[in-house]
Amino acid sequence: SSELTQDPAVSVALGQTVRITCQGDSLRSYYATWYQQRPGQAPVVVIYGKNNRPSGIPDRFSGSSSGNTASLTITGAQAEDEADYFCNFRDSSGNHVFGTGTKVTVL
Amino acid sequence: QVQLVQSGAEVKKPGASVKVSCKASGYTFTNYAIHWVRQAPGQRLEWMGWINTATTNAKYSQKFQGRVTITRDTSASTAYMELSSLTSEDTAVYYCARDRYASGSWWFDPWGQGTLVTVSS
């Protein structure tokens, strides 16, 4: 199956750590990419590949993977991290699949 | 800087078609593929397809096959996405995004600002 499932919502206290997960059988074979989408804005990539951050993305964002689950961890969450987060992968045929999305609330 | 600028919002009637443009600047247009992704209100991102801007080869999501056409004009550094037989379920923000690849991973960066397409009678 190429479906990717995420928890609908998580909350984190300011300065604390939160982990967002993405589950799917295809993640046993492919790395997940993670996108952050603030309200009313286009998505922005925060993690790609094994654990790579584009320039400009704070090092409090990190990625990991185990079995059929990919994770995005925000260590020391800031108010500006409040957003929707989507995982994504590209299969061998060139098709892209997005996860269901997780809304992160910073308390 | 690298950027993608999309055309403005559209309102269409059911059964009509819409064509959205995506103008690239700040890089060599034919060196990177362009993808199209849409997002219905409150919903997840949904990949529609992509075009190899150097060859014009396009690949579409099965969901949209037969209803979507992605093209490009290299002289204008612009990609286009046309969606036909619109229904209210096609009401969404449509994004273009540049394809990136490294070390076995693919991602989209940057994205256009999005184009709202509203389908209403």
Side-chain angles (χ1 to χ4, degrees):
Chain A
S1 168
S2 60
E3 291 289 313
L4 296 179
T5 303
Q6 300 179 237
D7 290 331
V10 297
S11 59
V12 57
L14 185 67
Q16 297 303 301
T17 296
V18 62
R19 188 176 73 166
I20 306 159
T21 60
C22 172
Q23 288 189 302
D25 289 341
S26 298
L27 296 180
R28 297 182 187 278
S29 306
Y30 302 99
Y31 289 122
T33 296
W34 290 93
Y35 295 93
Q36 175 194 70
Q37 186 180 32
R38 296 188 174 114
Q41 296 186 19
V44 172
V45 57
V46 293
I47 292 289
Y48 66 90
K50 191 173 183 179
N51 182 21
N52 300 293
R53 282 177 291 104
S55 61
I57 301 301
D59 60 5
R60 62 178 179 271
F61 289 91
S62 63
S64 61
S65 181
S66 178
N68 72 337
T69 301
S71 300
L72 174 69
T73 301
I74 308 174
T75 304
Q78 301 300 301
E80 61 264 32
D81 300 335
E82 187 160 292
D84 292 328
Y85 291 83
F86 294 92
C87 57
N88 166 265
F89 82 97
R90 177 196 186 273
D91 69 19
S92 58
S93 298
N95 300 300
H96 283 262
V97 177
F98 285 95
T100 50
T102 298
K103 181 178 181 60
V104 173
T105 300
V106 180
L107 304 172
Chain B
Q1 75 281 23
V2 175
Q3 64 175 349
L4 301 174
V5 178
Q6 299 181 221
S7 50
E10 302 262 13
V11 179
K12 295 292 183 180
K13 292 195 181 303
S17 297
V18 68
K19 190 171 186 176
V20 180
S21 68
C22 170
K23 182 172 177 59
S25 62
Y27 72 97
T28 301
F29 179 66
T30 51
N31 282 357
Y32 298 87
I34 292 287
H35 294 259
W36 288 89
V37 176
R38 79 175 187 181
Q39 187 174 37
Q43 301 301 309
R44 76 167 84 182
L45 299 165
E46 188 171 32
W47 178 77
M48 301 180 70
W50 66 283
I51 186 167
N52 181 326
T53 53
T55 67
T56 77
N57 288 343
K59 180 177 177 63
Y60 305 118
S61 165
Q62 268 197 320
K63 176 174 179 176
F64 299 101
Q65 191 80 36
R67 214 162 59 91
V68 68
T69 304
I70 300 175
T71 57
R72 60 67 166 139
D73 178 350
T74 56
S75 67
S77 298
T78 300
Y80 303 90
M81 185 285 299
E82 184 169 20
L83 188 63
S84 62
S85 304
L86 294 170
T87 72
S88 58
E89 295 187 351
D90 294 315
T91 293
V93 175
Y94 290 76
Y95 294 101
C96 62
R98 189 180 69 162
D99 183 80
R100 298 297 310 278
Y101 170 82
S103 303
S105 301
W106 287 264
W107 67 100
F108 303 148
D109 180 58
W111 295 59
Q113 83 277 18
T115 296
L116 175 63
V117 175
T118 303
V119 183
S120 174
S121 54

